[in-house]
Amino acid sequence: MDFKKLPNNISQMNLPVKPPIPIPPSTQGMTTRVVKGSLWTLSGQILPLAVSLLITPFVIRLLGEESYGVYILVGLIPSYFAFADFGMSLGSTKFGSEAYARGSREDEGKTVRTAAFIAFLTSFPIAVGIFIFSYPVIAWLNVPEQLRGEASVALKIAAITFVVNTLCNVFNTPQLSRLRMDLNTFVNTGFRLLGVVAIPIVLHFGGGIVGAVMVLMVASLLTLFGHIWVSGRLLSEMFRFSIDRSLVKPLLRFGGPLVISGIAAILLVNLEKIVLTRAASVTVLAYYSVAFTLANMATMFSSSMIQSLLPAFSQLLEPTKKEELNKLFARSLRINIIGLIPLMMFLFVIAKPFFTIWAGENFGRESSLPFYFLLIGLFFNVVAYVPHSVLMASGKTSVFAKIYWIELAPYVFLTGLLTYKFGAVGAALAWSLRLIADTVIIAWFSQKIVGVSLNIFHGKSYVLPLILMVMLPPVLIALFIDNYSVWLLPVVPLCTAFYFAAVWKNLLEQEERVWLSEKLATVFHSPT
C-alpha cells in the first residue's frame, strides 16, 4: 500500500468549501453506501488479520507459550477501561453525523474538538493509574515471577497506547460522518499492518514483550497523526483552538450512560479471561485467546457495518424517514444472518487443523473445543450488532446500562462456576450463554423503543431452519468422522452452493435480487 499517494488522492476529491445540506438518500442508496462502507471497513480488518495469521505463529514461537500468554494479558488489561473515553467515540460520530446532515461544518468541527477534549480528560487519569500500579496488577494476575518485571514495563507502555487509541476513535469522525470508510480504512490498516509486521522482527532481535508492545504504541501514534491529517482535509473547521461548552452537556448526557454500561460491558466481554488466568494459568489463557481470535472472525463483517450503520441510522431517525429506517434495519440484520451461517460452518470444519498447523499441536488439542462453544455465542453476538446500533443512534444509551448491570451478577456467578470447574471450555460456555440472553433482550428493546420491526424475513422465518439443515453435513462429518476427512472437499462447496441458492429463492426480496444482480454484473462485466 503506497501511502505517498494518499495526499494526492485526497486533494483531488474536489471537496467544496461549504457543501449544501445533503439530500436524504433513498433506502436503496443508503443501503449501497452502508454496504460499500462496510466492505471498506471489512477489507481493513481482513488484510491485517491475514498478515497476523501469517505472523502470529512466529510470535508464539519466538516468545514461547507462557510469554505469549503474558503478551495477550498486557494488551487485555487496558481494554477493561474502554469506557474511559466517556462514550466520546460514539458520541462524536452521532452528533457529528447529525451536524453533517444539517450541512453545518462549523458545528461538526466543534463536536470533534469537544469530544476529543472530554475523551482525553477522562482517559488520561485511567492511564496514569495503570502506569503507577502496573506491577501489583501483574503480580495479582498470576504472571510467573521471572516475567513480572518485563510485563510491568510493557503494561506501562500499553497505558500510553490506550490514550492514543482513544483519541484515534474521535478524530476519525469526519470520515465516518461522510461514510468515507475508504479513508478511515487506509489510515487504520496501513499503520496497523506496519505494527503487525514489525513485531516478529523486533522479537527476533531480542525485543521481548516490551519491544512488541512498544511497536504497537508507535503504530497507534502514527494512526492518530494520520486521522488528524485526513479528517482535517475533509473538515478544515476541525482545526480550531476552542471547544463548544453548549455541546459538553449533550455529549456527557449521551456518554454518561455508556460509561455506566461500559463498566459492566467490559466485565461481561472479558471477565472469563481474567478468571481463567486466576483459575488456571497464562498458558491456558493463550490457548483460549487463540480460539477466541478465530471465533471473532465470524463477527468481522457485522462489526465493520457498525461504523457505517451508526451514522446512517442517525440520519434516518426522523419520523418522515421511518419506512427507510425499517428497511435498512431489516436488510442489515438479514444480511448478517444469511452471511454468518456458512461462515460458521466453514470455521467449525477448519478449526482443529488450523490450530494444529498454525500454532502447534498443543493449541490444536486445547483450543478446538472452547472454539466450538464460542461459535454458538458469537452467532447471537453478530445478530445483536444491528439492533445495538439502532438503539445507539437513537441516543437511548441508558438502556445498555440497565441491561448490562442486570446481566452482570448472574454472569459473574456462572463464569466463576463453569471456569473453575471446566477451565477454558467452561469460560467459553459461560460467555456464549450470556450472549444468547443479551441478544434477545437488545432485540426486544430495539423494537419497543425505536419501533423497528423484527419480522426481517417477511413471514418466511420458518424457512430459515429448513435452509440451515443444508449446512449440517460438513459439521457432522467433522464431528463424527474427522476434520481431515477427504469427504469435506466436495461436501463443503456443494452444501454452500445449495444454501445460497435456497436463500436467493426464498429469503431475499425481489428488489434485493435485482440490486445484487446489478452489482454482480458490474463486478464481473468485462468490456468487449
Side-chain angles (χ1 to χ4, degrees):
M1 187 179 297
D2 188 357
F3 280 89
K4 293 180 179 178
K5 295 181 179 179
L6 186 56
N8 292 332
N9 292 338
I10 295 174
S11 63
Q12 292 169 3
M13 290 191 306
N14 297 319
L15 292 173
V17 176
K18 186 175 182 180
I21 297 176
I23 298 173
S26 64
T27 307
Q28 201 73 17
M30 183 64 82
T31 300
T32 300
R33 295 170 65 201
V34 168
V35 171
K36 183 179 179 181
S38 301
L39 290 175
W40 270 109
T41 305
L42 179 63
S43 67
Q45 294 178 351
I46 289 178
L47 187 56
L49 177 63
V51 175
S52 182
L53 289 175
L54 295 174
I55 295 298
T56 299
F58 297 100
V59 175
I60 293 174
R61 287 163 176 81
L62 286 167
L63 283 175
E65 292 177 6
E66 193 171 57
S67 292
Y68 181 71
V70 174
Y71 169 67
I72 293 294
L73 185 64
V74 166
L76 178 65
I77 292 170
S79 70
Y80 276 79
F81 301 96
F83 60 85
D85 74 340
F86 219 89
M88 290 304 103
S89 59
L90 294 172
S92 180
T93 301
K94 171 180 166 55
F95 289 99
S97 296
E98 291 173 351
Y100 173 69
R102 296 193 305 268
S104 178
R105 293 170 62 90
E106 188 62 39
D107 285 350
E108 188 181 0
K110 290 177 181 178
T111 298
V112 177
R113 296 195 304 273
T114 306
F117 179 72
I118 295 172
F120 178 78
L121 288 183
T122 54
S123 62
F124 183 73
I126 298 294
V128 171
I130 296 174
F131 193 95
I132 294 173
F133 296 105
S134 61
Y135 192 88
V137 170
I138 288 297
W140 182 78
L141 287 172
N142 211 20
V143 171
E145 190 171 352
Q146 70 274 14
L147 294 174
R148 289 179 184 176
E150 187 178 12
S152 175
V153 174
L155 185 54
K156 293 179 189 295
I157 298 170
I160 299 171
T161 307
F162 167 72
V163 177
V164 175
N165 288 337
T166 297
L167 295 176
C168 285
N169 292 330
V170 175
F171 281 112
N172 67 348
T173 295
Q175 302 160 46
L176 303 184
S177 297
R178 291 156 179 76
L179 292 177
R180 290 304 307 268
M181 304 307 172
D182 50 346
L183 300 179
N184 188 54
T185 298
F186 279 133
V187 177
N188 283 330
T189 304
F191 297 118
R192 185 179 172 189
L193 281 174
L194 180 65
V196 170
V197 172
I199 286 175
I201 298 173
V202 171
L203 292 177
H204 177 73
F205 288 101
I209 299 172
V210 172
V213 176
M214 181 68 77
V215 166
L216 295 178
M217 183 186 74
V218 172
S220 293
L221 284 168
L222 292 173
T223 302
L224 176 60
F225 296 143
H227 278 310
I228 292 173
W229 189 84
V230 172
S231 293
R233 295 300 298 269
L234 293 173
L235 181 69
S236 60
E237 288 81 357
M238 188 180 76
F239 293 125
R240 301 284 191 273
F241 294 98
S242 64
I243 64 170
D244 188 344
R245 292 184 180 181
S246 65
L247 275 172
V248 172
K249 188 174 181 179
L251 283 168
L252 292 180
R253 190 185 299 118
F254 177 87
L258 287 180
V259 173
I260 297 172
S261 64
I263 295 172
I266 292 300
L267 293 173
L268 290 170
V269 171
N270 289 316
L271 176 66
E272 86 286 359
K273 301 180 183 71
I274 293 297
V275 174
L276 192 59
T277 306
R278 289 283 297 170
S281 66
V282 290
T283 303
V284 176
L285 174 64
Y287 296 142
Y288 180 84
S289 296
V290 165
F292 196 87
T293 299
L294 182 61
N296 261 314
M297 289 177 61
T299 71
M300 281 194 305
F301 180 74
S302 301
S303 61
S304 68
M305 288 182 70
I306 290 180
Q307 286 192 323
S308 298
L309 283 176
L310 182 56
F313 284 147
S314 296
Q315 296 173 33
L316 294 176
L317 283 172
E318 296 179 11
T320 57
K321 301 176 183 177
K322 184 70 175 181
E323 185 178 353
E324 298 172 52
L325 176 67
N326 269 313
K327 285 186 177 181
L328 181 61
F329 176 86
R331 189 164 291 153
S332 301
L333 195 52
R334 195 160 54 243
I335 289 172
N336 273 316
I337 294 173
I338 290 172
L340 182 62
I341 290 172
L343 178 59
M344 287 187 65
M345 178 273 291
F346 179 75
L347 291 175
F348 189 98
V349 168
I350 70 165
K352 189 173 182 179
F354 174 79
F355 291 138
T356 302
I357 297 170
W358 182 63
E361 188 175 341
N362 290 340
F363 285 88
R365 183 180 62 253
E366 301 295 337
S367 298
S368 298
L369 190 55
F371 174 78
Y372 297 147
F373 283 97
L374 287 171
L375 272 185
I376 299 170
L378 282 167
F379 175 84
F380 289 88
N381 186 35
V382 167
V383 172
Y385 277 138
V386 178
H388 183 280
S389 297
V390 78
L391 278 171
M392 193 69 67
S394 71
K396 304 297 183 181
T397 52
S398 60
V399 171
F400 300 109
K402 297 173 184 176
I403 294 172
Y404 296 152
W405 280 103
I406 290 172
E407 291 178 351
L408 185 58
Y411 179 64
V412 169
F413 172 78
L414 187 65
T415 299
L417 178 66
L418 294 178
T419 302
Y420 275 91
K421 190 170 181 63
F422 300 108
V425 172
L429 178 58
W431 198 80
S432 291
L433 289 173
R434 198 273 301 175
L435 285 176
I436 294 172
D438 188 66
T439 301
V440 173
I441 295 170
I442 289 178
W444 183 82
F445 270 110
S446 69
Q447 185 178 39
K448 181 178 177 61
I449 294 175
V450 186
V452 292
S453 173
L454 297 178
N455 182 23
I456 61 172
F457 290 108
H458 305 290
K460 295 183 178 180
S461 298
Y462 66 91
V463 178
L464 186 61
L466 299 176
I467 295 176
L468 184 59
M469 299 292 289
V470 177
M471 306 304 289
L472 283 181
V475 174
L476 296 176
I477 291 173
L479 275 177
F480 297 107
I481 300 179
D482 191 23
N483 294 76
Y484 297 92
S485 173
V486 294
W487 285 104
L488 290 170
L489 294 177
V491 170
V492 168
L494 188 63
C495 288
T496 303
F498 274 116
Y499 170 80
F500 280 112
V503 165
W504 180 273
K505 183 177 180 180
N506 297 284
L507 295 182
L508 294 183
E509 297 177 354
Q510 177 60 29
E511 62 176 324
E512 291 170 345
R513 287 194 287 266
V514 171
W515 181 78
L516 282 171
S517 298
E518 291 174 351
K519 294 301 176 184
L520 290 173
T522 301
V523 171
F524 293 106
H525 174 71
S526 56
T528 56

